[in-house]
Amino acid sequence: MNKIWAARLPASSRGLAHRLHWCARGLAVAVLSQIGSLVLFTAMAVTLASLVVGVGFLVLPVVMIAVRGLANFHRRTAEEWSGVPIETPYRPTDSNDPYDTAGSVTHCRQLLSDPATWRDFLWTLLDTPVGLVLGLLPASFVAYGLNGMFVTPLLWESMGPHWGFGAIWFITDQTEANLAIPQGMLFVVLGLLISPSLARLHIRFNRLLLSPTRNARLTLRVERLTETRSETVESQAAELRRIERDLHDGAQARLVSLGMSLGLADTLLESNPAMVRKLLADAVESSSQALTELRDLVRGIHPPVLAERGLDGAVRALAVSLAVPVEVQIDLPSRPQLPVESAVYFVIAEALTNITKHSGAGRASVRLWYAGGKLRAQVGDDGRGGADAEGGSGLRGLQRRLAAFDGELGISSPTGGPTLVTMELPCAL
């Protein structure tokens, strides 16, 4: 609704609203820098000092949850406000429970050995003056200018001769008071002009201290690759077990039955021709079923439609075959590598299967596009929601499949819906 309202405004009004919005954001930054950063810096300093007497080991994890929560809020707003992503630099810890007394000493050691903890400490100290100045300056200029435009010309007499708030000269008459009007306009325009730039300057300051250092980024990358390698090995082992189970319980069993039927038919060929004909009919049926199961198994490894039509055609064919209406939007300039193509197809297929089996949705959607060196996809539905990767819904398996390609899977599924599964894989087309 706000976007529609803004679109109807003249360009000048939209520009004014945009800059006033940045002024409001600056005020929020100034308030957070004082209430948040200053309070948390004080709490963190006191907590570090109390480590000597042992009390800090119980308090530090709780304080760090608050510090990291505020830092993560600034990381999110940096991307939302100006499109500047700030990566999370924290190392994983053995315990995320701040009330885990038994593991508090180990937890504190892990927190204190993380360079991001000390960079957060420095950030809370520096953000107190930096956030106050950069956030408050544009709004102060606007307030000072508005006072000069409306308050000083009307109320200067009630104040008597003085250095007027809204003027930089000694006011003794109405003419001098009226001169505050153009001065006030100048300050209002100046405050509005500098508000986006100062807000972005504060975002760059946050990125300087809140983003991981080169060594931290390398460490996190190694940990990520170690984790994904383990998940890839586990995923491939599970896939091999599935193929072996399908062969053993399906095609292999039918082929064994086929051999037995043909052997028995050979034995009864002269003595019981009617039984031989029945056994041959059963053998034909078993061979047909075995062939169907082998084809299904091959499709589970690499679907022929994917090789023939590419990811675009395969996803559209998959959407048409579902009972739930699926809206498909695909914008791919060319085909990705075959392994990436296969992984994305199976993740989309599994997500759509979950929709038909578990969501109770009336409609679903698939969006697939390429941007920023990454293949991105979204699968959504209007069902009951409540999907959870930790709840045994198969989503964890999809995460492991994407992890093999350094990809990520995100799930938004509040109770009552809607559900949105988002995936992205770095790749070249």
Side-chain angles (χ1 to χ4, degrees), residues 266-383:
D266 182 61
T267 303
L268 300 175
L269 182 60
E270 296 181 357
S271 60
N272 195 345
M275 179 61 70
V276 170
R277 282 192 294 271
K278 184 177 183 305
L279 290 172
L280 290 177
D282 292 341
V284 170
E285 182 180 356
S286 295
S287 65
S288 176
Q289 292 176 347
L291 182 59
T292 300
E293 291 174 354
L294 286 173
R295 285 174 176 170
D296 292 340
L297 184 61
V298 170
R299 291 191 187 98
I301 299 173
H302 189 80
V305 66
L306 188 61
E308 295 170 2
R309 304 185 188 178
L311 189 57
D312 188 332
V315 171
R316 293 184 186 278
L318 180 66
V320 170
S321 67
L322 296 177
V324 178
V326 182
E327 179 184 356
V328 180
Q329 297 180 5
I330 300 179
D331 182 15
L332 297 178
S334 58
R335 294 183 64 171
Q337 300 98 329
L338 291 179
V340 173
E341 196 174 55
S342 178
V344 173
Y345 173 80
F346 280 113
V347 171
I348 292 176
E350 182 65 23
L352 290 175
T353 301
N354 287 341
I355 290 175
T356 58
K357 288 183 177 179
H358 309 297
S359 71
R363 298 191 64 83
S365 64
V366 177
R367 185 181 173 217
L368 189 63
W369 74 102
Y370 184 81
K374 293 184 178 181
L375 183 63
R376 306 170 190 266
Q378 289 181 342
V379 180
D381 67 75
D382 60 356

Side-chain angles (χ1 to χ4, degrees), residues 398-421:
L398 302 186
Q399 289 177 333
R400 285 197 297 267
R401 183 184 286 271
L402 293 182
F405 301 90
D406 204 18
E408 297 180 351
L409 182 78
I411 303 163
S412 173
S413 183
T415 302
T419 296
L420 184 64
V421 178

Side-chain angles (χ1 to χ4, degrees), residues 87-233:
E87 300 175 51
T88 303
Y90 306 119
R91 296 176 182 174
T93 58
D94 295 336
S95 174
N96 292 319
D97 183 3
Y99 306 104
D100 181 11
T101 306
S104 59
V105 175
T106 301
H107 192 189
C108 285
R109 286 176 179 172
Q110 292 174 339
L111 290 173
L112 294 174
S113 64
D114 189 348
T117 297
W118 300 101
R119 287 170 64 84
D120 283 352
F121 184 52
L122 178 62
W123 169 73
T124 56
L125 171 63
L126 297 181
D127 190 50
T128 301
V130 172
L132 179 65
V133 173
L134 297 181
L136 199 58
L137 195 60
S140 299
F141 278 12
V142 172
Y144 185 81
L146 291 176
N147 179 81
M149 292 170 61
F150 300 106
V151 178
T152 300
L154 298 176
L155 302 179
W156 75 273
E157 286 186 296
S158 63
M159 304 176 189
H162 66 293
W163 292 89
F165 183 71
I168 56 176
W169 53 83
F170 195 73
I171 298 176
T172 58
D173 56 38
Q174 186 65 44
T175 301
E176 293 175 346
N178 289 339
L179 290 176
I181 296 177
Q183 175 203 315
M185 296 175 63
L186 179 63
F187 272 96
V188 169
V189 171
L190 181 61
L192 293 176
L193 286 176
I194 66 174
S195 58
S197 299
L198 292 185
R200 294 189 181 100
L201 183 60
H202 184 259
I203 289 173
R204 285 195 287 270
F205 162 77
N206 286 339
R207 183 174 60 178
L208 179 65
L209 291 177
L210 296 181
S211 60
T213 62
R214 182 177 180 180
N215 290 336
R217 189 176 284 109
L218 180 60
T219 300
L220 292 171
R221 179 65 175 162
V222 170
E223 292 175 352
R224 169 68 175 167
L225 290 176
T226 302
E227 179 183 352
T228 56
R229 182 184 65 180
S230 175
E231 291 184 343
T232 301
V233 172

